[in-house]
Amino acid sequence: MTLYRVAIHITPRQGLLDPQGKAVAGALYSLGFGGVKEVHVGRHLVVETDAADAGAAADSARSMCTRLLANPVTEDFEIESAVPR
Amino acid sequence: MTLYRVAIHITPRQGLLDPQGKAVAGALYSLGFGGVKEVHVGRHLVVETDAADAGAAADSARSMCTRLLANPVTEDFEIESAVPR
């Protein structure tokens, strides 16, 4: 078993309301960032877990997302990377 | 001007207390993910902004982080990518 560091992105599903993103976009615009068109706010998780290899670590992270970390109705998730610690 | 999609990670600074991460790690362990050692919970932002080029888009995002998005005392940020939309 090796310790892997798995990075996960969880984002609001496209097309669903993202009030936090809208609020941040408005605040950035007010601060003078006039080029800002849209902001999406999601979560970035780093999970350190023992696994046999990188594929097993990613599979385990996928299962964590469906069982606990992501809301299947409103959120999408993506395993960004799984690298040995 | 081109529309760029900039992805930003904001994470709790290493060594600082991360109660949310600890809670998630405990919950994963209870669910049967016995290999989980540590979890860090941060934010993943996607900002769509007009910029002259990818470097300018990343610079602008860096400035957004220091001025609004990240807490300079407790959080680190990283510009993950800046790609044309």
Side-chain angles (χ1 to χ4, degrees), chain A residues 30-64:
Chain A
S30 305
L31 272 177
F33 295 101
V36 172
K37 299 295 176 218
E38 226 175 292
V39 178
H40 300 279
V41 180
R43 275 167 292 139
H44 170 67
L45 282 99
V46 178
V47 176
E48 294 185 0
T49 183
D50 275 332
D53 55 48
D59 285 346
S60 168
R62 219 165 275 123
S63 162
M64 291 174 200

Side-chain angles (χ1 to χ4, degrees), chain A residues 3 9 11 24 31 33 35-40 42-46 48-50 63-64 67 69 80, chain B residues 3 9 11 24 31 33 35-40 42-46 48-50 63-64 67 69 80:
Chain A
L3 191 58
H9 290 165
T11 45
V24 171
L31 272 177
F33 295 101
V36 172
K37 299 295 176 218
E38 226 175 292
V39 178
H40 300 279
R43 275 167 292 139
H44 170 67
L45 282 99
V46 178
E48 294 185 0
T49 183
D50 275 332
S63 162
M64 291 174 200
R67 290 188 61 197
L69 304 174
E80 190 204 359
Chain B
L3 191 58
H9 290 165
T11 45
V24 171
L31 272 176
F33 295 101
V36 171
K37 299 296 176 216
E38 227 176 293
V39 177
H40 300 279
R43 274 167 291 141
H44 170 67
L45 282 100
V46 177
E48 294 185 1
T49 184
D50 276 331
S63 162
M64 291 174 202
R67 290 189 60 200
L69 303 175
E80 190 204 0

Side-chain angles (χ1 to χ4, degrees), chain B:
Chain B
M1 293 295 232
T2 315
L3 191 58
Y4 282 86
R5 194 182 173 87
V6 186
I8 303 167
H9 290 165
I10 300 175
T11 45
R13 192 155 285 178
Q14 284 291 335
L16 282 190
L17 227 53
D18 178 2
Q20 199 185 352
K22 282 219 184 326
V24 171
L28 287 173
Y29 193 86
S30 306
L31 272 176
F33 295 101
V36 171
K37 299 296 176 216
E38 227 176 293
V39 177
H40 300 279
V41 180
R43 274 167 291 141
H44 170 67
L45 282 100
V46 177
V47 176
E48 294 185 1
T49 184
D50 276 331
D53 55 48
D59 284 347
S60 170
R62 218 165 277 121
S63 162
M64 291 174 202
C65 286
T66 52
R67 290 189 60 200
L68 179 75
L69 303 175
N71 179 337
V73 179
T74 60
E75 295 176 320
D76 286 322
F77 65 86
E78 184 195 356
I79 310 299
E80 190 204 0
S81 62
V83 293
R85 186 54 221 288

Side-chain angles (χ1 to χ4, degrees), chain A residues 71-85:
Chain A
N71 179 336
V73 178
T74 59
E75 294 176 321
D76 285 322
F77 65 85
E78 184 195 357
I79 310 299
E80 190 204 359
S81 63
V83 293
R85 188 55 222 287

